[in-house]
Amino acid sequence: MENRVFARLRFSYERLKESVSRSCFLYCALYPEDHHIETDEQIKYWTWEGLLDNLGYGESKMLQGKMILDELKNASLLEIGCQEGSLNEYVKMHDLIRDMAIAVTRVSPLFIIRAGHEIRDAPGESEWLKGLERISLMTNDLSSLSFEPKCPRLTTLLLQYNSLSKGILTSFFNHLKNLTVLDLSYTGIARLPDSLSNLENLHALFLRSCWNLCHVPTMERLKELRVLDLSSTSIECMPLGMESIWISPTLQYMDLIFKFYGMDYNSLMGHISPSRVIRDRGSEQIAEFMQGDSTSRNSFNLKVLNVIGCDNLKTLLPLELVQQLKNLEELELQSCSMLEEIVTEVENEEGIQENNGEVVLPSLRKLRLVSMPRLRSICRDPMICDSLTTIEVVDCPELEILPFFLEIRPQLVDSLKQIKGSRSWW
């Protein structure tokens, strides 16, 4: 009976139109049994892994990802999931379908999936075969990784929700040169091994809620890094080498999420500024852009900027910086309790404010502002954001003006799909 059922399920899998759909389906098996997978998160994992590389990042890849999810649901390979109290979209795998997917990954492509097995020891070194492509050991009780695996084809390594209290061997990453996604979130690790600096193909590094983490090795060689999540860690300053990532000409997008715990805002803005010269104007921290030669004054490649839990900020972006962010697509600010203004104008040496009366962010598609009780202004001048599709404002009672609507442009009318906010705020 089991063989007949598996044969039918495998037939549905093999009938999928594209090989990318099959790869995306197998990726869902990396989660624990009965896990509700957030769809947007899953699509981003596919993107960072490079599964959707035939299209550019942004709405096109999200759209392609949703189409693939619809195909998998229509083939009955994924079910609609839910999470109590959440408005996000989820999918899940039926146990039998997940078992079939795992059976596929024992042959080709080659995975190790031990997610949610409550294991205390990692698979033995002999199990880390050269042909391995993805490994999921999330949601276990691993205390250490004390060997040096040789897996040149490994692209994804998921280790979140483990203790890792005894750490990771210094040379652990020496032979994982093809790794693109590494998740160590919600672990007790205190130091990342120096061999992490060798992961030159790494696209996404997740260290969210690694409360003990206080050391990250230099990132100078991580030229392909797209996503860095350092939220809720004990890191007090920016990792070395970040400036080479900010201005890397090959950068497609960069998602920086910071929970500061005393991290100096100068440290962040200093790595954004081409000249890395910071001027303190009372409570404001202003990045000085007007020094240096005409080149890294070019537009930045930054596409996604998330700033979360920065309680010391009163202003965020100096006007000079905003004028460089022509490629910015997503801006999310959350739980910055002292923030009063997002874009702030500065005076030149003659005391004159330099601005042409408008701020232009031509690529901005999504703006999300959450839990900022003192926020009064996004920008004092009109903002031209003709690509905006979504605006979300939650628990920002002092924000009374949206600068995009000071001048109603037909392009914005065409692009804007939704504004989310409480009825009383609206």
Side-chain angles (χ1 to χ4, degrees), residues 214-420:
C214 56
H215 171 74
V216 176
T218 179
M219 296 191 171
E220 185 176 4
R221 297 172 62 188
L222 306 187
K223 304 292 188 184
E224 298 298 320
L225 193 64
R226 309 283 190 267
V227 181
L228 173 64
D229 189 337
L230 291 171
S231 60
S232 299
T233 67
S234 295
I235 294 172
E236 295 184 353
C237 61
M238 290 286 289
L240 294 174
M242 282 296 296
E243 64 273 19
S244 63
I245 293 174
W246 277 103
I247 60 176
S248 170
T250 62
L251 190 60
Q252 294 178 18
Y253 65 98
M254 186 69 180
D255 184 349
L256 295 174
I257 307 175
F258 293 109
K259 184 80 171 181
F260 276 133
Y261 286 105
M263 185 190 288
D264 187 355
Y265 185 53
N266 285 1
S267 178
L268 171 61
M269 298 307 292
H271 284 81
I272 297 176
S273 166
S275 61
R276 287 182 287 164
V277 177
I278 302 298
R279 180 172 70 226
D280 186 353
R281 300 185 73 247
S283 64
E284 298 177 354
Q285 302 294 330
I286 306 299
E288 176 62 69
F289 274 83
M290 307 319 292
Q291 297 186 12
D293 59 39
S294 61
T295 58
S296 35
R297 288 199 302 268
N298 290 340
S299 296
F300 285 99
N301 293 301
L302 185 69
K303 291 197 175 184
V304 181
L305 178 60
N306 292 5
V307 180
I308 300 175
C310 302
D311 290 332
N312 295 326
L313 297 185
K314 289 192 174 181
T315 63
L316 180 69
L317 298 170
L319 180 62
E320 298 100 323
L321 174 58
V322 174
Q323 291 170 337
Q324 310 298 316
L325 299 179
K326 302 301 184 186
N327 297 310
L328 188 67
E329 294 181 1
E330 296 184 19
L331 176 61
E332 177 181 356
L333 308 177
Q334 181 174 334
S335 301
C336 300
S337 60
M338 301 295 288
L339 191 69
E340 297 177 358
E341 188 172 43
I342 295 176
V343 179
T344 180
E345 298 179 10
V346 297
E347 298 177 355
N348 62 17
E349 294 178 356
E350 288 77 32
I352 302 172
Q353 290 186 338
E354 293 184 334
N355 192 15
N356 62 2
E358 61 186 28
V359 176
V360 182
L361 290 174
S363 302
L364 188 66
R365 293 175 174 166
K366 179 180 179 181
L367 176 68
R368 187 168 188 262
L369 307 174
V370 178
S371 297
M372 291 182 289
R374 297 194 179 192
L375 182 65
R376 294 179 179 273
S377 170
I378 295 175
C379 181
R380 299 175 207 172
D381 295 302
M383 294 186 74
I384 297 178
C385 303
D386 289 340
S387 298
L388 263 178
T389 61
T390 301
I391 301 171
E392 183 174 359
V393 180
V394 178
D395 194 20
C396 300
E398 298 296 318
L399 184 63
E400 297 181 353
I401 296 176
L402 296 179
F404 325 107
F405 301 130
L406 298 180
E407 175 188 351
I408 303 298
R409 295 169 57 85
Q411 298 94 325
L412 180 59
V413 174
D414 290 339
S415 67
L416 191 61
K417 300 295 186 293
Q418 56 184 337
I419 301 176
K420 299 181 181 179

Side-chain angles (χ1 to χ4, degrees), residues 38-51:
E38 186 177 346
T39 56
D40 283 358
E41 178 186 271
Q42 184 63 88
I43 293 171
K44 288 179 180 179
Y45 267 107
W46 293 342
T47 301
W48 300 323
E49 243 269 3
L51 297 179

